[in-house]
Amino acid sequence: MQKKNTGLLIWGGVGTGKSFFAGCIANALMEREVPVCMTNFARILNELNNSFSGRNEVVERLCRYPLLIIDDFGMERDTNYALEQVYNIIDSRYRSKRPLIITTNLTLDEIRHPQDVAHARIYDRVLEMCVPVSCFGTSIRKDTAQEKLNNLKSLIG
C-alpha cells in the first residue's frame, strides 16, 4: 500500500471501531519501526494556531511521516479558516504521494456528493487517495456502558 500510495477511508457510525482499527494498523507499523502520526484536525488546527515556527513547518512535518492517520475527519469546525487548513493538509499529503488513513462518521454518500466546492476539493482528493472501508454495527461504547450498568446492578441488587 505504501508503494502504490493507497490509503484507507474508514467510515461508519459512532463507536463502531474505526479509530481502534486505525490504531491497530499504526501499532503494527510502529512495531516494525515505521513512523506513524495519528491525530485529528482539531489538534492540527490548534498546533497551526500555536506554531512559532510557522504553518509550513507543521504541514511539512505531517507530510514526512510514512503514514498519517487523521481520526474523526469532518468533525472539525466548519469555518473558512478550518476548511482552508484541512484542504492544505490533505493537498500537501496528496502531493507528497504518501498514504493516508482517515476515519470519519461522514457517510460515503456525503463524501461522494459534497455540499459545496470547498468540500468537493477536499473529498475528491481523499477519494483518489483512499479506498473506502465501512464499519457498521452497534456502538461498542453503548455495549460497554450497558455491561457496566449490569455489573453495578448485580453488585447493588
Side-chain angles (χ1 to χ4, degrees):
M1 291 181 87
Q2 183 178 12
K3 288 178 186 172
K4 294 187 177 189
N5 185 26
T6 303
L8 298 174
L9 171 64
I10 307 169
W11 65 279
V14 173
T16 55
K18 299 175 299 298
S19 300
F20 180 80
F21 180 35
C24 289
I25 293 169
N27 287 337
L29 289 171
M30 289 187 296
E31 285 175 5
R32 295 180 182 177
E33 298 182 8
V34 176
V36 176
C37 177
M38 185 167 179
T39 189
N40 61 47
F41 273 114
R43 285 191 202 116
I44 292 171
L45 291 171
N46 284 339
E47 189 175 348
L48 288 169
N49 289 334
N50 297 326
S51 176
F52 295 111
S53 59
R55 291 185 179 136
N56 288 341
E57 165 56 32
V58 173
V59 173
E60 288 171 14
R61 183 179 50 77
L62 291 172
C63 286
R64 282 194 296 262
Y65 284 96
L67 178 63
L68 175 63
I69 300 173
I70 298 176
D71 196 29
D72 288 329
F73 178 74
M75 297 296 111
E76 59 278 349
R77 288 172 299 207
D78 201 9
T79 65
N80 288 337
Y81 171 78
L83 276 176
E84 181 183 326
Q85 299 314 313
V86 169
Y87 173 80
N88 191 23
I89 300 292
I90 297 295
D91 185 61
S92 295
R93 192 71 190 181
Y94 177 80
R95 291 173 189 272
S96 74
K97 297 188 183 333
R98 291 188 172 216
L100 175 68
I101 293 177
I102 292 176
T103 70
T104 186
N105 295 126
L106 297 171
T107 66
L108 196 53
D109 191 54
E110 288 173 312
I111 295 168
R112 286 185 173 149
H113 303 99
Q115 66 223 25
D116 54 40
V117 173
H119 286 89
R121 294 172 68 217
I122 296 166
Y123 297 170
D124 191 57
R125 283 163 175 76
V126 168
L127 288 171
E128 181 182 339
M129 296 167 62
C130 302
V131 175
V133 176
S134 62
C135 285
F136 288 103
T138 59
S139 171
I140 295 166
R141 292 183 197 100
K142 285 182 184 176
D143 293 344
T144 302
Q146 186 61 50
E147 186 178 315
K148 288 179 179 182
L149 179 62
N150 292 342
N151 286 340
L152 180 62
K153 284 180 182 178
S154 69
L155 289 172
I156 296 173

